């Protein structure tokens, strides 16, 4: 699997957003970073922390091939969803009750990404990049075919978006494993075996299959 150079928008300039941005720059993608602040406020930060990326105002994320949302989950309602409409969006967010506080919408009845997609509106949401540490992302990548290459799961209700993101994940140095629909994202949320460990593609598929069987048995 290969990915052509893409234009990548990153919404969020924290540790996760900048780590993904640096890895995307290394992979040859054009990277734009935005926050809720004017571009000028984060220009120096971007130049120092993510050389090769460009700080932009959030409305300038429009037109990107992918927009990666990398903000703390408890701030998701502050996201300007207007800039996301019509785009493929990667949700990297995780629900951490001790940090995010009790959020009733994340009661476990649906995966967190299903709640997020409903909030965002007309987007094609893909869940991935949430189950690898921002530090690991830059040091654990390997070329395709490398022995024991690490795998990352992806979940979405949109097959075209899933395929695009799979190519992007591969370009970052990881095997993309299709977990199924967006609801399957719960199998690699905070606290799961997938979330807590490092897995190859073979191991990842086995864990996802086991989770599918468990859900079916409980139904």
């Amino acid at each position: 699997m290969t990915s052509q150079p893409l234009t990548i928008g990153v919404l969020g300039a924290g540790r996760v957003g900048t780590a993904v941005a640096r890895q995307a720059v290394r992979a040859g993608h054009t990277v734009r970073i935005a926050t809720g602040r004017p571009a000028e406020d984060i220009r120096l930060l971007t130049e120092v922390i993510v050389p090769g990326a460009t700080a932009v105002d959030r409305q300038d994320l429009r037109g990107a091939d992918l927009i990666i949302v990398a903000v703390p989950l408890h701030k998701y309602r502050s996201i300007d969803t207007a800039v996301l409409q019509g785009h493929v969006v990667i949700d990297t967010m995780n629900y951490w009750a001790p940090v995010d506080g009790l959020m009733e919408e994340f009661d476990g009845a649906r995966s967190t990404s299903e709640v997020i997609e409903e909030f965002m509106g007309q987007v094609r949401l893909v869940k991935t990049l949430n189950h690898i540490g921002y530090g690991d992302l830059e040091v654990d990548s390997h070329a395709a075919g490398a022995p024991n290459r690490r795998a990352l799961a992806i979940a979405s209700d949109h097959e075209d978006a899933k395929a695009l993101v799979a190519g992007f994940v591969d370009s970052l140095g990881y095997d993309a494993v299709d977990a199924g629909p967006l609801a399957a994202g719960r199998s690699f949320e905070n606290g799961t075996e997938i979330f807590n460990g490092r897995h190859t593609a073979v191991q990842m598929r086995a864990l996802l299959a086991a989770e599918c069987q468990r859900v079916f048995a409980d139904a």
Side-chain angles (χ1 to χ4, degrees):
M1 181 186 299
T2 58
S3 173
Q4 297 298 317
L6 303 172
T7 298
I8 306 297
V10 180
L11 184 59
R15 291 174 175 176
V16 173
T18 54
V20 175
R22 283 191 296 270
Q23 197 67 5
V25 169
R26 293 188 185 105
H29 302 295
T30 298
V31 179
R32 304 170 183 164
I33 300 178
T35 67
R37 295 179 289 166
E40 193 58 38
D41 289 358
I42 63 167
R43 197 174 308 283
L44 180 59
L45 171 71
T46 301
E47 291 174 355
V48 173
I49 303 299
V50 194
T54 303
V56 299
D57 294 320
R58 61 181 180 272
Q59 60 265 28
D60 295 324
L61 296 179
R62 290 192 180 100
D65 297 303
L66 293 172
I67 298 179
I68 300 165
V69 175
V71 301
L73 187 64
H74 65 269
K75 294 184 178 180
Y76 84 90
R77 289 194 174 278
S78 68
I79 294 171
D80 179 6
T81 60
V83 305
L84 305 177
Q85 301 308 293
H87 289 84
V88 176
V89 176
I90 295 179
D91 172 22
T92 70
M93 297 182 286
N94 289 298
Y95 178 42
W96 302 80
V99 174
D100 297 312
L102 183 61
M103 302 178 72
E104 293 182 358
E105 62 266 46
F106 301 114
D107 60 3
R110 294 185 292 170
S111 69
T112 60
S113 289
E114 288 175 285
V115 176
I116 294 299
E117 185 175 53
E118 181 179 296
F119 168 76
M120 287 185 175
Q122 297 301 310
V123 304
R124 287 168 286 162
L125 197 74
V126 181
K127 178 77 166 181
T128 193
L129 294 175
N130 69 302
H131 52 295
I132 181 170
Y134 61 85
D136 293 340
L137 183 66
E138 298 184 80
V139 300
D140 211 11
S141 65
H142 292 88
N148 298 317
R149 192 188 199 208
R150 185 168 179 171
L152 296 177
I154 59 175
S156 178
D157 294 333
H158 308 276
E159 294 301 321
D160 58 339
K162 199 186 299 184
L164 180 64
V165 171
F168 174 64
V169 167
D170 179 71
S171 78
L172 299 184
Y174 299 89
D175 285 337
V177 174
D178 188 347
L182 196 59
R186 70 170 67 247
S187 63
F188 49 97
E189 290 178 355
N190 177 25
T192 63
E193 186 173 353
I194 291 176
F195 184 93
N196 291 331
R198 181 197 185 283
H199 309 286
T200 65
V202 171
Q203 293 167 336
M204 182 74 75
R205 292 188 185 99
L207 288 168
L208 289 168
E211 176 64 15
C212 182
Q213 290 178 346
R214 185 194 66 78
V215 171
F216 181 79
D218 291 345

